[in-house]
Amino acid sequence: MFGYSTKLEDDEVLLRIFEGVDTQTRPPPKLAVRIRTPFEAARQGDLAKLKRFLTSKDTQFDARSHDDANGGSTILHHAAWAGDVQTLHYIIHHVRSTYGESELRTFLNATDTVCSRSTALMEACRSNVGSVPERLECIRDLIDAGADTAAQDARGDTCLHKAVQGGFLPIVRLLTQGANVRLLVVRQ
């Protein structure tokens, strides 16, 4: 009369779903996100679409471009923030092979905006998105490719400051164990 099921089997299925033991029920589908720009592809971790943007002759997108409409971040900033190792590797390889080693170093140390002036390495060090091992790998890869660990944002903070402020001890350990890390000490 009211559309409710009175079958015992239906109640058992609902109980199993509620308890999380029903293996026959499919998980809810992921919401589709429409990706219109390379920045959105990097932000969402959609490497296939990012590759199409970077290699398409129709778009002619420069991988070193800044997303001025959304804070001035580069695609590298977005991949580093997300701890997306595969996308980060691809971006570094693409910029190195397309523009050369000196342009890669410039790109690695590009800042997002005049207001915050964060580098991709700073974004990776302050983010809590993704797993810790993937974030550590992203940070290692950025440093190995030439990211400046002593670069300062608009407030004078370095990537080490960002990691300490976030309480990310594994990142602090990584940044302080290498011989190539330069620390900036300001005395008052």
Side-chain angles (χ1 to χ4, degrees):
M1 176 190 232
F2 295 108
Y4 295 114
S5 172
T6 57
K7 294 181 184 175
L8 183 59
E9 297 88 20
D10 291 344
D11 291 340
E12 289 173 355
V13 168
L14 289 173
L15 183 60
R16 283 185 299 191
I17 292 171
F18 180 73
E19 292 175 346
V21 293
D22 185 20
T23 58
Q24 297 175 350
T25 305
R26 292 185 210 156
K30 282 186 162 183
L31 294 175
V33 177
R34 186 173 176 106
I35 296 176
R36 297 182 184 156
T37 69
F39 301 108
E40 291 172 358
R43 212 175 1 258
Q44 297 297 324
D46 193 331
L47 184 56
K49 286 192 179 175
L50 181 62
K51 285 179 179 181
R52 281 195 296 265
F53 278 114
L54 294 177
T55 58
S56 172
K57 291 179 178 31
D58 298 335
T59 59
Q60 296 189 3
F61 175 76
D62 185 342
R64 302 166 297 172
S65 299
H66 290 260
D67 187 7
D68 294 327
N70 293 305
S73 297
T74 66
I75 55 176
L76 190 64
H77 283 86
H78 293 299
W81 169 261
D84 188 341
V85 176
Q86 289 182 328
T87 302
L88 188 113
H89 283 173
Y90 178 77
I91 294 168
I92 290 172
H93 171 75
H94 176 78
V95 171
R96 179 181 282 133
S97 63
T98 306
Y99 305 104
E101 197 66 38
S102 65
E103 279 296 313
L104 174 62
R105 288 203 190 275
T106 301
F107 177 65
L108 286 166
N109 297 301
T111 57
D112 56 0
T113 62
V114 175
C115 296
S116 65
R117 300 192 47 76
S118 290
T119 64
L121 181 59
M122 289 177 198
E123 293 296 319
C125 290
R126 76 180 183 98
S127 170
N128 63 354
V129 178
S131 72
V132 173
E134 287 179 342
R135 289 173 36 219
L136 290 170
E137 187 175 345
C138 284
I139 292 166
R140 266 189 225 102
D141 291 343
L142 288 166
I143 293 171
D144 290 347
D148 184 4
T149 57
Q152 297 178 352
D153 68 4
R155 295 178 42 191
D157 292 338
T158 65
C159 57
L160 181 60
H161 291 115
K162 302 287 186 188
V164 169
Q165 290 164 358
F168 305 130
L169 187 57
I171 295 173
V172 171
R173 284 186 182 136
L174 172 68
L175 293 172
T176 57
Q177 77 183 2
N180 64 345
V181 176
R182 297 185 321 257
L183 301 177
L184 177 68
V185 178
V186 179
R187 297 183 186 229
Q188 295 182 353

